């Protein structure tokens, strides 16, 4: 599985945060949509299979598991190393709320 740093996510990328909804609402990387890992098996087909998906969580554990599942189901995925913790530390744009 490919991994990148928070600085390597291209503008306009399909960007998925797999943390739970309350964690996501408290603060997430700007532009990331939320599909919690606990819901991924039932919702992964919402993703665009024609482009890679960049997967982020808090520190990299859940995103690694999500990437393994998504790869097994035919999606091109890239794990975001060190997750939202690294995103915050790099002072990259954050958003709050559910995104609905």
């Amino acid at each position: 599985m490919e991994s990148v740093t928070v600085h390597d996510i291209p503008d306009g990328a399909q960007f998925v945060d797999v943390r739970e909804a309350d964690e996501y609402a408290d603060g997430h990387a700007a532009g990331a949509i939320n599909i919690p890992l606990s819901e991924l098996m039932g919702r992964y087909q919402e993703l665009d299979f024609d482009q890679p998906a960049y997967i982020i969580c808090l520190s990299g554990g859940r995103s690694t598991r999500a990437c393994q599942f998504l790869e097994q189901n035919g999606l091109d995925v890239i794990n975001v190393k060190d997750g939202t913790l690294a995103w915050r530390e790099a002072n990259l744009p954050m958003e709050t709320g559910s995104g609905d």
Side-chain angles (χ1 to χ4, degrees), residues 20-41:
E20 292 303 312
D22 60 331
E23 295 174 276
Y24 177 85
D26 284 344
H28 56 271
I33 64 165
N34 184 224
I35 300 179
L37 183 61
S38 63
E39 300 175 13
L40 193 61
M41 287 180 68

Side-chain angles (χ1 to χ4, degrees), residues 8-16 30-33 48 51-55 78 80:
D8 297 324
I9 301 166
D11 289 338
Q14 179 171 221
F15 192 15
V16 182
I33 64 165
D48 182 352
Q51 64 173 315
Y54 290 78
I55 311 298
I78 299 108
V80 180

